[in-house]
């Protein structure tokens, strides 16, 4: 006989019994379970236990690592107590069923927990020494310091959870629920709960080893709560699924009944009628060969799956798109250039150069079309059908500040040609699928915006405006600008493939027109495909004519007023333009006129139909205080302040540059959110004055002994660019010479260390900004004098322009001459530049 003790275990009250090791099963006290003894030693232990007087044996669960070893070798047996969990259960055999060959089945009931001590092998099987562990009772737990109300509450919570679980499961036996709710033995209720939840061997063994009743109850309560919650979710999911199935069955039965009723009435099957309608539409549609093959293939699928199925709905939608697309439908172009110019003049005031560029494009398009017609007639006999395609070619793009009429110009081009007009806003577009479409494998798939626009137009040669090209973005969903490269390329767009249609569509006859505010954000490859037409801002006189001719009548119509309901004299309109708007375009002006019209509409709606004539002195009552002061040029600027001109996305702007000396300072301070280029311009201006102080008559000690602070107001707005160089130099020179800058003068131009004044851009916008601010004298680089041809005639006649190619010329014309008799506003005669008035 061989005894194998468990290390570091001792007990003064030991007992001996036969051992039955079990796999995947843990027997708990008070629980009756059927078990199987299969291996020879296990069978021998069970039979030996039945031969004892009390028919008791110890049941212990195998550890996972031992179980894996025994499973791999059917002949292997346990070798020591390390193969078993240390806590087992003393059980009594209530019934045995012996089979002729193989394992025996036992019905055992757990009596109590035991601690395994030693294992002995003999011819009768496994025999183990153990000592009994105390039962977990309420009295012992309270005596050990547990709170009796807490234990009672835990027991009640367990029973309540079992009642909730039974309510969710209609198959839960009422007898079992009665046993659970009537059990007053806390530990036994806990063990019953663990057994019913069918927990894993590890979880059940942990509960068996628990020595604290309160901890055991809390563990079981937590597990039961999870179990009940899972059962609740399972019941909810099954209920929803059953509801869906019942709804589908109901719809199926109703369709079958409807089908029988229609057969009785002689109306036929609706699905067959739908298929017949599709066949009729296909026969009447002039579809290209590839499209017709695709349509027939999808129609055959629809006949197989039925239109009432989910897949049938997807197929039917796809067929509708294919049949409704204008594959070969075009509209005849009106290529009368006189009519086109008349339409442009009727819709837009001024913009002569822009209109000339548009007419040039239409003339080229007309001549190209006339040249292609003989070629098409020649190839119609022997050539392919694609010879009938007239490629549009160049894509024009209108570039300019907001509100100058870029979108409306595209609409006018479509009206002049007699084509439908569609607008696609690209602002904020980041997903390339918005343009190319989604594959039909996705739920809710649909074609891209290009195909949708053509579908709405109803012809394959509309005018499509791609608005806000400079606002297109990109992220992980792709780069829409790359798709635009294919769409706008005449060599590629003749076979554009939308992912939803999955068929080639010819975009070569579509006239694409783009718009943008800032070309800096447009990718260079895309910019290379565009013919740019720049639109600058309007002068006050142009705004006055636009307001009277277009804006006011349109706002009166929108407000539901007759044309004579509101009369605005010229002085009133000028005041609205000067005091309530400050923009390159006319969008804000139209909003103010709309505000006035709505106030008149209130009067008319109240029953007073008296026409209103609004005078300038009444504007503050109708529109509120003036938003912009007419005179922003600082009538008496101190030395160190100069007026510059800047170009922005919204048109030209007037900016002031201020310079002050900092006593006992040394550094150069720059404020006003200046960019790197502007900071470099300040450094150049300071260095030039330092190097040429003697020639300029400047005391160099002022720069050496003082710091310099230069500020550009409107500090919340970032500023950059080289065109403010002359303004910064003039402000510094004015400060050091103590000679103010002429208050009627603005300037623009880049400078270098050699003293040259270099050309800059945006001359037209800058001049218009100076004109709006009431400035009547502009100093600009001599090389930019050629750009003044773009300035409206009436603005050139009202202003004086002086071209300068050296810095000393700028200072000569900008600074008030020295002398006590000279005051600001009274200047000696100066040199007269280009476009100057005598």
């Amino acid at each position: 006989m061989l005894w194998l003790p468990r290390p570091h275990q001792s007990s003064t009250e030991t007992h001996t019994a036969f051992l039955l090791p079990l796999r995947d099963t843990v027997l708990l006290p008070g629980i009756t379970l059927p078990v199987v003894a299969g291996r020879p030693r296990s069978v021998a232990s069970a039979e030996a236990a039945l031969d004892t007087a009390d028919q008791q044996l110890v049941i212990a669960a195998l550890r996972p690592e031992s179980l894996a070893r025994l499973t791999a070798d059917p002949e292997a047996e346990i070798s020591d107590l390390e193969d078993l969990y240390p806590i087992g259960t003393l059980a009594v055999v209530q019934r045995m069923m012996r089979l002729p060959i193989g394992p025996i089945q036992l019905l055992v009931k757990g009596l109590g927990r035991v601690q395994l001590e030693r294992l002995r092998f003999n011819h009768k099987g496994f025999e183990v020494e153990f000592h009994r562990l105390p039962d977990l009772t309420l009295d012992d737990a309270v005596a050990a310091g547990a709170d009796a109300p807490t234990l009672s509450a835990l027991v009640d919570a367990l029973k309540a959870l079992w009642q909730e679980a039974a309510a969710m499961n209609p198959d839960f036996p009422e007898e079992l629920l009665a046993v659970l709710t009537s059990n007053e033995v806390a530990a036994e209720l806990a063990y019953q709960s663990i057994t019913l939840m069918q927990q894993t061997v590890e979880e059940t063994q942990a509960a068996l080893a628990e020595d604290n009743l309160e901890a055991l109850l809390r563990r079981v309560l937590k597990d039961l709560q999870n179990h009940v919650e899972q059962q609740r979710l399972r019941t909810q999911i099954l209920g929803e699924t059953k509801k869906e199935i019942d709804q589908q069955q109901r719809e199926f039965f109703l369709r079958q009944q409807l089908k029988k009723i229609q057969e009785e009435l002689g109306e036929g099957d609706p699905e067959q009628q739908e298929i017949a309608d599709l066949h009729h539409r296909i026969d009447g549609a002039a579809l290209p060969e590839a499209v017709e093959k695709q349509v027939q293939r999808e129609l055959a699928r629809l006949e197989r799956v039925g239109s009432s199925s989910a897949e049938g709905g997807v197929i039917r939608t796809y067929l509708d798109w294919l049949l409704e697309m204008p594959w070969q439908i075009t509209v005849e172009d009106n290529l009368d250039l006189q009519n086109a110019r008349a339409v442009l003049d009727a819709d837009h005031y001024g913009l002569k150069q822009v209109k000339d560029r548009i007419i040039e494009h239409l003339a080229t398009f007309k001549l190209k079309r006339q040249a292609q017609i003989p070629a098409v007639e020649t190839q119609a006999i022997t050539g392919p059908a694609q010879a009938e395609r007239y490629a549009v070619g160049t894509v024009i793009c209108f570039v300019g500040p907001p509100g100058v009429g870029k979108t409306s110009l595209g609409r006018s081009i479509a009206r002049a040609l007699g084509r439908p007009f569609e607008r696609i806003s690209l602002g904020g577009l980041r997903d390339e699928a918005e343009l190319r479409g989604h594959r039909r494998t996705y739920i809710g798939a649909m074609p891209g915006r290009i195909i949708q626009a053509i579908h709405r137009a109803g012809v394959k040669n509309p005018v499509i405006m791609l608005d806000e090209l400079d606002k297109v973005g990109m992220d992980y969903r792709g780069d829409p600008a790359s798709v635009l490269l294919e769409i706008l390329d005449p060599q590629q767009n003749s076979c554009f493939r939308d992912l939803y249609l999955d068929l080639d569509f010819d975009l070569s006859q579509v006239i694409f027109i783009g718009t943008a505010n800032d070309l800096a954000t447009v990718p260079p490859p895309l910019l290379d495909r565009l013919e740019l037409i720049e639109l600058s801002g309007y002068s006050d006189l142009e705004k006055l004519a636009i307001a009277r001719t277009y804006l006011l009548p349109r706002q009166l119509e929108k407000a539901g007023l007759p044309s004579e309901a509101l009369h605005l004299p010229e002085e009133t309109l000028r005041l609205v333009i000067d005091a309530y708007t400050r923009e390159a375009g006319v969008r804000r002006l139209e909003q103010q006129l709309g505000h006035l019209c709505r106030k008149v509409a209130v009067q008319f709606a109240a029953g007073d139909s008296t026409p209103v004539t609004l005078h300038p002195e009444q504007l503050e009552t109708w529109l509120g205080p003036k938003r912009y002061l007419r005179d922003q040029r600082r009538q008496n600027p101190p030395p160190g302040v100069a007026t510059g001109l800047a170009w922005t996305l919204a048109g030209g702007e007037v900016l002031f540059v201020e310079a002050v000396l900092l006593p006992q300072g040394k550094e150069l301070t720059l404020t006003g959110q200046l960019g790197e280029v502007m900071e470099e311009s300040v450094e150049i201006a300071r260095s030039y004055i330092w190097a040429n102080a003697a020639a300029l008559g400047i005391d160099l000690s002022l720069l050496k002994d003082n710091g310099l602070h230069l500020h550009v107001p409107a500090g919340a707005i970032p500023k950059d660019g080289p065109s403010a160089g002359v303004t910064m130099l003039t402000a510094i020179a004015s400060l050091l010479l103590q000679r103010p800058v002429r208050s009627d003068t603005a300037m623009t131009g880049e400078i270098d260390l050699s003293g040259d004044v270099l050309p800059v851009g945006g001359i037209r916008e800058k001049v218009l900004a100076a004109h709006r601010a009431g400035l009547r004298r502009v100093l600009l680089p001599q090389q930019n004098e050629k750009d003044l041809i773009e300035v409206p005639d009436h603005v050139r006649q009202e202003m004086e322009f002086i071209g300068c190619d050296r810095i000393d010329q700028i200072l000569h014309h900008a600074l008030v001459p020295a002398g006590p008799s000279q005051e600001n506003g009274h200047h000696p005669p100066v040199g007269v530049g280009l476009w100057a008035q005598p």
Side-chain angles (χ1 to χ4, degrees):
M1 183 181 299
L2 176 65
W3 286 96
L4 296 175
R6 178 179 295 275
H8 309 292
Q9 295 292 337
S10 62
S11 175
T12 57
E13 299 180 7
T14 59
H15 304 275
T16 303
F18 287 98
L19 173 68
L20 179 61
L22 296 180
R23 66 175 68 188
D24 301 330
T25 301
V26 178
L27 180 65
L28 297 174
I31 304 300
T32 301
L33 282 181
V35 297
V36 176
R39 296 181 185 258
R41 284 188 180 274
S42 297
V43 172
S45 295
E47 292 175 343
L50 289 173
D51 292 338
T52 62
D54 53 8
Q55 294 189 340
Q56 293 181 355
L57 52 76
V58 173
I59 293 179
L62 291 167
R63 292 182 181 272
E65 54 271 17
S66 303
L67 179 60
R69 177 175 58 83
L70 296 176
T71 302
D73 185 3
E75 303 297 329
E77 298 280 0
I78 63 173
S79 57
D80 54 34
L81 286 181
E82 296 301 324
D83 291 335
L84 304 171
Y85 282 103
I87 306 298
T89 305
L90 181 64
V92 60
V93 180
Q94 294 183 338
R95 186 184 308 167
M96 183 192 72
M97 184 173 67
R98 191 186 302 274
L99 298 178
I101 300 176
I104 61 174
Q105 294 183 352
L106 304 174
L107 185 65
V108 296
K109 179 180 180 181
L111 300 178
R113 302 181 304 131
V114 299
Q115 174 78 44
L116 306 184
E117 297 290 344
R118 293 172 180 265
L119 179 64
R120 182 174 62 183
F121 301 97
N122 58 32
H123 65 282
K124 293 183 178 181
F126 304 114
E127 195 170 3
V128 66
E129 284 189 7
F130 63 91
H131 72 269
R132 293 284 299 270
L133 296 176
D135 295 335
L136 303 180
T137 64
L138 287 173
D139 294 339
D140 292 343
V142 173
D147 184 52
T150 301
L151 296 175
S152 178
L154 290 173
V155 172
D156 293 342
L158 272 177
K159 294 179 180 181
L161 279 176
W162 277 117
Q163 290 176 341
E164 184 178 350
M168 290 187 295
N169 186 4
D171 297 330
F172 198 94
E174 295 182 2
E175 298 81 2
L176 178 58
L177 179 62
V179 170
L180 292 170
T181 55
S182 62
N183 194 343
E184 299 299 331
V185 182
E188 187 175 329
L189 176 61
Y191 293 145
Q192 289 173 345
S193 301
I194 292 172
T195 304
L196 290 174
M197 285 187 288
Q198 299 180 352
Q199 293 190 327
T200 64
V201 172
E202 290 78 8
E203 293 172 336
T204 308
Q205 185 65 40
L208 179 64
E210 183 60 63
D211 292 330
N212 186 287
L213 179 60
E214 182 177 347
L216 175 64
L217 290 173
R218 290 186 182 276
R219 174 196 293 269
V220 176
L221 184 62
K222 178 181 178 182
D223 294 341
L224 184 57
Q225 284 176 332
N226 293 335
H227 179 79
V228 171
E229 185 62 28
Q230 291 176 4
Q231 181 64 29
R232 182 184 293 109
L233 292 175
R234 190 181 302 112
T235 303
Q236 179 182 351
I237 293 172
L238 290 176
E240 293 175 354
T241 305
K242 183 177 183 300
K243 183 178 180 180
E244 292 178 1
I245 294 175
D246 292 345
Q247 180 66 21
Q248 292 176 0
Q249 291 177 344
R250 179 174 178 271
E251 292 177 357
F252 175 76
F253 291 139
L254 289 176
R255 288 194 188 95
Q256 294 299 318
Q257 292 176 1
L258 179 61
K259 182 177 179 180
K260 292 296 183 183
I261 294 173
Q262 289 174 337
E263 289 178 355
E264 292 294 331
L265 294 175
E267 294 180 354
D269 186 358
E271 290 193 6
Q272 295 300 324
Q273 182 64 37
E274 184 178 17
I275 297 297
D277 291 342
L278 286 174
H279 277 291
H280 179 71
R281 291 175 59 188
I282 294 171
D283 294 338
L287 301 176
E289 181 179 355
V291 178
E292 186 169 1
K293 287 182 179 179
Q294 180 73 359
V295 168
Q296 295 293 350
R297 184 162 49 247
E298 292 297 322
L299 184 59
R301 289 184 58 211
L302 182 62
E303 292 177 348
R304 289 195 303 270
V305 302
S307 59
S308 59
S309 65
E311 185 179 0
V314 174
I315 297 174
R316 175 59 194 269
T317 303
Y318 178 61
L319 286 174
D320 286 340
W321 273 100
L322 292 183
L323 294 176
E324 293 173 2
M325 285 298 297
W327 298 98
Q328 300 184 11
I329 302 176
T330 58
V331 62
E332 187 66 25
D333 289 325
N334 181 1
L335 297 177
D336 186 351
L337 299 184
Q338 293 182 352
N339 172 71
R341 185 174 290 278
V343 170
L344 292 174
D345 290 338
D347 292 346
H348 298 84
Y349 179 86
L351 301 177
K352 181 179 182 302
Q353 295 181 357
V354 175
K355 293 176 182 178
D356 290 342
R357 292 281 299 277
I358 293 174
I359 295 298
E360 291 169 7
H361 278 279
L362 295 181
T364 304
F365 180 58
K366 177 180 180 179
L367 295 177
K368 185 177 179 182
R369 174 63 59 86
Q370 292 173 349
Q372 286 177 333
I373 290 177
V376 172
E377 292 175 350
T378 303
Q379 296 180 13
I381 302 175
T382 59
Q386 289 186 349
E388 297 180 2
R389 184 175 70 248
Y390 304 131
V392 173
T394 305
V395 178
I396 62 176
C397 178
F398 297 122
V399 183
V404 295
K406 298 186 294 296
T407 303
S408 59
L409 274 173
R411 201 182 304 273
S412 298
I413 292 174
R415 190 161 73 90
L417 291 173
R419 294 191 179 195
F421 176 81
E422 292 293 333
R423 173 181 170 272
I424 300 176
S425 177
L426 302 180
L429 186 68
R430 295 182 176 273
D431 187 359
E432 68 175 27
E434 290 286 333
L435 294 175
R436 200 186 289 276
H438 301 79
R439 298 186 186 277
R440 284 181 290 134
T441 52
Y442 297 106
I443 297 176
M446 59 190 305
R449 295 192 187 184
I450 301 297
I451 294 298
Q452 290 183 38
I454 294 175
H455 178 265
R456 291 192 301 268
V459 296
K460 66 181 297 184
N461 61 338
V463 174
I464 296 181
M465 171 154 283
L466 302 175
D467 215 359
E468 311 291 356
L469 276 173
D470 54 329
K471 309 298 190 303
V472 176
M474 63 176 294
D475 59 11
Y476 65 93
R477 292 169 294 186
D479 183 8
S482 300
V483 183
L484 289 173
L485 294 179
E486 177 186 355
I487 294 173
L488 301 181
D489 192 340
Q491 305 300 323
Q492 301 182 48
N493 61 9
S494 60
C495 53
F496 174 73
R497 181 173 287 260
D498 185 274
L499 295 181
Y500 180 82
L501 297 183
D502 199 23
L503 291 166
D504 290 342
F505 193 92
D506 184 5
L507 299 179
S508 62
Q509 297 187 45
V510 177
I511 293 181
F512 289 104
I513 300 174
T515 70
N517 299 127
D518 183 12
L519 295 179
T521 58
V522 180
L526 180 58
L527 196 62
D528 187 55
R529 287 165 168 77
L530 304 175
E531 179 74 20
L532 303 179
I533 298 179
E534 295 186 2
L535 283 79
S536 301
Y538 296 108
S539 66
D540 290 351
L541 187 61
E542 291 173 328
K543 290 181 180 180
L544 184 67
I546 293 172
R548 187 174 300 282
T549 308
Y550 302 98
L551 304 185
L552 184 57
R554 185 161 61 202
Q555 289 301 319
L556 287 171
E557 182 181 355
K558 284 185 178 180
L561 296 171
S563 58
E564 67 277 1
L566 175 63
H567 173 64
L568 296 178
E570 181 176 334
E571 296 78 8
T572 304
L573 272 177
R574 285 186 178 275
L575 186 58
V576 173
I577 294 170
D578 292 340
Y580 293 91
T581 65
R582 186 59 55 86
E583 58 180 345
V586 293
R587 188 167 293 159
R588 181 66 178 169
L589 175 58
E590 185 172 11
Q591 292 173 359
Q592 296 296 335
L593 295 178
H595 191 186
L596 295 175
C597 292
R598 288 190 294 272
K599 286 186 175 295
V600 176
V602 173
Q603 173 185 320
F604 272 61
D608 185 0
S609 301
T610 305
V612 176
T613 298
L614 194 60
H615 298 286
E617 59 271 12
Q618 298 174 275
L619 268 185
E620 292 199 26
T621 304
W622 287 65
L623 294 179
K626 298 177 181 179
R627 299 176 183 270
Y628 306 96
L629 296 177
R630 172 59 180 169
D631 189 5
Q632 291 194 353
R633 56 193 176 103
R634 303 194 181 189
Q635 289 288 352
N636 297 293
V641 177
T643 305
L645 299 173
W647 180 92
T648 68
L649 294 180
E653 292 289 343
V654 173
L655 60 84
F656 298 99
V657 176
E658 303 170 343
V660 296
L661 288 175
L662 306 176
Q664 300 180 357
K666 294 296 182 182
E667 72 281 355
L668 173 64
T669 304
L670 304 176
T671 55
Q673 284 212 52
L674 307 185
E676 293 184 3
V677 178
M678 287 192 82
E679 291 181 355
E680 291 176 356
S681 296
V682 179
E683 295 283 357
I684 294 172
R686 183 168 177 260
S687 299
Y688 179 83
I689 291 177
W690 195 307
N692 298 274
L696 297 175
I698 294 175
D699 185 0
L700 190 56
S701 62
L702 291 175
L703 283 174
K704 292 181 178 180
D705 300 336
N706 298 278
L708 180 64
H709 184 173
L710 191 141
H711 174 67
V712 181
I717 302 174
K719 312 167 190 70
D720 205 0
S723 64
V726 295
T727 312
M728 294 174 172
L729 186 143
T730 303
I732 298 173
S734 169
L735 174 67
L736 298 176
L737 292 171
Q738 284 299 295
R739 292 167 57 188
V741 179
R742 289 182 54 158
S743 60
D744 62 346
T745 301
M747 62 198 73
T748 183
E750 182 181 355
I751 60 174
D752 60 17
L753 292 175
S754 301
D756 295 325
V757 179
L758 306 178
V760 293
I763 295 299
R764 185 181 193 275
E765 292 81 0
K766 293 175 180 179
V767 170
L768 291 178
H771 185 266
R772 284 196 301 268
L775 298 165
R776 292 298 179 261
R777 195 165 176 268
V778 174
L779 308 182
L780 72 162
Q782 196 167 27
Q783 296 182 50
N784 283 122
E785 290 181 341
K786 64 183 186 305
D787 298 321
L788 293 174
I789 193 67
E790 299 177 359
V791 178
D793 293 339
H794 69 278
V795 174
R796 295 203 305 266
Q797 294 170 4
E798 295 177 8
M799 299 184 70
E800 177 185 359
F801 302 95
I802 302 175
C804 306
D805 58 3
R806 295 290 299 173
I807 290 175
D808 52 0
Q809 295 175 351
I810 292 286
L811 297 178
H812 172 72
H813 293 293
L815 299 179
V816 174
S821 63
Q822 297 298 330
E823 296 180 358
N824 192 26
H826 302 280
H827 311 288
V830 294
V832 178
L834 185 65
W835 311 115
Q837 297 301 308

